[in-house]
Amino acid sequence: MEDVVANEFATVAVSVDDRGNSTRLRLEDLRTGTVRYLDALELESIVWAPEAWMRALLDPSQHRWRDADRGPAQESLDP
Amino acid sequence: MTTTDVDPEAARLRALVLPDRVHGSVYTDAEIYARELERIWYSTWVYVGHASEVPEPNDYVRKTIGPQQVVMTRDKTGAIHVLHNRCSHRGNLVCDADRGNAGSFRCPYHGWTFANTGDLLGFPFNQGYGGSAARAQLPGLGAAPRVESYRGFVFASLAADGPTLIEHLGAAAERLDRLCRLSPEGEVELTAGWVKHEVTANWKMLVENETDGYHPQFVHSSIFSISGSGIGALYSDKSTAVTRALGGGHTENDLSPEFRRLGVPMGWAGTPESKIPDYVAAMRASYGSDTADEIMINGSPHVMIFPNLFVAEIQLFQIQPLAVDRTVQHVTAIQFKGAPDLNRRLVTQCVGSVGPAGMLLADDAEMYERNQRGVAQRQPEWLDLTRGLHRERLDDDGHTIGTATDETSMRAMWRHYLELMETERSGARPSEEP
Ligand code: FES
Ligand SMILES: [Fe+2]
């Protein structure tokens, strides 16, 4: 079942994917179609991540709007 | 390949494994078993699992290489790894579930965490190691130094060098091709689930039995009679089927001459076309009518790929020694990609033959265990291997063949076995790498 988490800044579809050998969370940035899967241990790590880590993650220059000379913003992980 | 005469164990083995007989102690001697682990199971290519068991990125399954527990993973780039299931901190088992989807594994003992490539990602309270940078100096999970696959069948070798997988498979590779051709999409999938069946018998009893065409009429007569199966007759003196040594210790019972004589598409499976119309149509659409019919007439292989992969037409066995007198057979129904109607029937057939209450596997298991107890008796000391020795010949491909009930396959297995067992172990130690 897919749910959408949205606000005025971002729109992300959330679902539990069971095509793999155990369940994982499927996240889709509906504005770009970019998809990321998170397994249970990754999710648990996010739950426990310090605020400083989350603040760093929200810095747009860390990923999507990263300077080109620092390499790709997201490795291609087409599942 | 070098042999050595200063190795007394090699000399002893040469006296126990002869061209026409083997000594009973090769099934019961713990020292011989220990040497088999080193020279065979931890050196040569061993079948580990199938790519279809880890379909998605970050999928993993627990598998085995003999008594060794390994984890077969597919990383986020799609590459397959075979990792030892042993934490690099204090050796705990890292994975416990039979299968899962995880990009990383966290050891339950102290929390060391590894990527599914084996790399160490981190550990709790890193100041104890002088900070997280220490992870570059600490080992990750051990990995099989060589992993290769053929048509989705993943093999690993714990030796850093040796023949390539395709050299190891030799003529047996074509038998996997023959199997895959039975799928309209040219692929098999091992997705039906596994039965683990343990017997108190030496692993070689199983390997020999898999292509022993002499026993089916006797051991399996009850299942053949109640199921009305014609298989028994294929293993008789009148049969045109052959037992073939494929080289490299690989052997087969080639029943295709009999299937061709029958000349009925899917006759080998005892399944009339009318029961699987979608499959037959898909095959003809993929290969064209003539080729499709030829494939469906010739049927599926019955091949033992040394030392642990046995394809028995519709089911697949993975043989795992646990001790000199304990062996597990991991069994599954083969599924052909793009063939749902056929696959449903194959699962039902396999439940009857090798399921928990299946009769074929139970018959054989009883023989393995009786045989193991039998060879422990003192006299006579030898097992005879002469059946059909006088009528062996070479086929057009130069392979040694015998009739359907001859022991050509066992003699070939033992020849290869002795070659591996007497070989000086050069560069064949498990990887020293982390
Ligand atoms: S043994 Fe695995 S973390 Fe200690
Ligand atoms: Fe049998």
Side-chain angles (χ1 to χ4, degrees), chain A residues 17 19-24 36-42 44-45 75-79, chain B residues 52-61 76-77 99-106 113:
Chain A
D17 175 278
R19 287 175 306 145
N21 287 351
S22 59
T23 52
R24 55 196 171 155
R36 168 160 231 137
Y37 290 90
L38 293 173
D39 68 43
L41 187 55
E42 289 168 338
E44 188 203 67
S45 301
E75 314 97 84
S76 172
L77 305 179
D78 213 3
Chain B
S52 61
E53 296 178 85
V54 286
E56 290 290 309
N58 294 336
D59 275 344
Y60 67 93
V61 282
K76 64 187 178 185
T77 72
R99 59 208 291 267
N101 183 279
S104 50
F105 306 132
R106 179 167 292 168
T113 302

Side-chain angles (χ1 to χ4, degrees), chain B residues 170-204:
Chain B
E174 194 279 329
R175 274 58 185 176
L176 295 178
D177 294 339
R178 180 174 160 200
L179 177 70
C180 293
R181 272 200 300 273
L182 281 161
S183 151
E185 298 179 29
E187 278 180 51
V188 300
E189 297 181 312
L190 301 188
T191 49
W194 293 87
V195 172
K196 291 177 198 164
H197 195 277
E198 184 174 333
V199 288
T200 51
N202 183 265
W203 65 275
K204 300 186 295 300

Side-chain angles (χ1 to χ4, degrees), chain B residues 87-94 107-114 124:
Chain B
C87 178
S88 58
H89 176 221
R90 291 183 51 77
N92 214 279
L93 286 177
V94 174
C107 177
Y109 199 0
H110 310 90
W112 283 33
T113 302
F114 305 90

Side-chain angles (χ1 to χ4, degrees), chain B residues 209-210 212 215-216 219-220 224 302 310 360-361 363-365 367-368:
Chain B
N209 181 70
E210 310 301 21
D212 169 37
H215 80 279
V219 171
H220 302 307
F224 292 154
H302 185 109
F310 174 42
L360 210 63
L361 186 60
D363 287 344
D364 286 320
M367 290 306 120
Y368 301 145

Side-chain angles (χ1 to χ4, degrees), chain B residues 11 26 43 58 66 68 127 131 143 151 154 178 222 231 241 271 302 306 325 353 384 388 412:
Chain B
V26 296
S43 296
N58 294 336
Q68 292 291 308
Q127 287 311 310
R151 308 238 22 183
V154 179
R178 180 174 160 200
S222 55
I231 297 282
T271 301
H302 185 109
F306 188 85
D325 58 355
S353 57
D384 182 83

Side-chain angles (χ1 to χ4, degrees), chain A residues 9-60:
Chain A
F9 307 110
T11 308
V12 176
V14 180
S15 58
V16 174
D17 175 278
D18 61 2
R19 287 175 306 145
N21 287 351
S22 59
T23 52
R24 55 196 171 155
L25 192 65
R26 181 182 186 278
L27 302 175
E28 179 175 354
D29 171 12
L30 290 177
R31 294 185 180 179
T32 63
T34 303
V35 172
R36 168 160 231 137
Y37 290 90
L38 293 173
D39 68 43
L41 187 55
E42 289 168 338
L43 287 169
E44 188 203 67
S45 301
I46 292 171
V47 170
W48 282 92
E51 274 312 299
W53 180 86
M54 189 55 79
R55 278 200 301 280
L57 199 57
L58 283 163
D59 172 359

Side-chain angles (χ1 to χ4, degrees), chain B residues 50 52 187-192 332-338 343:
Chain B
H50 194 269
S52 61
E187 278 180 51
V188 300
E189 297 181 312
L190 301 188
T191 49
T332 191
I334 293 170
Q335 303 281 277
F336 296 100
K337 198 168 181 189
N343 288 342

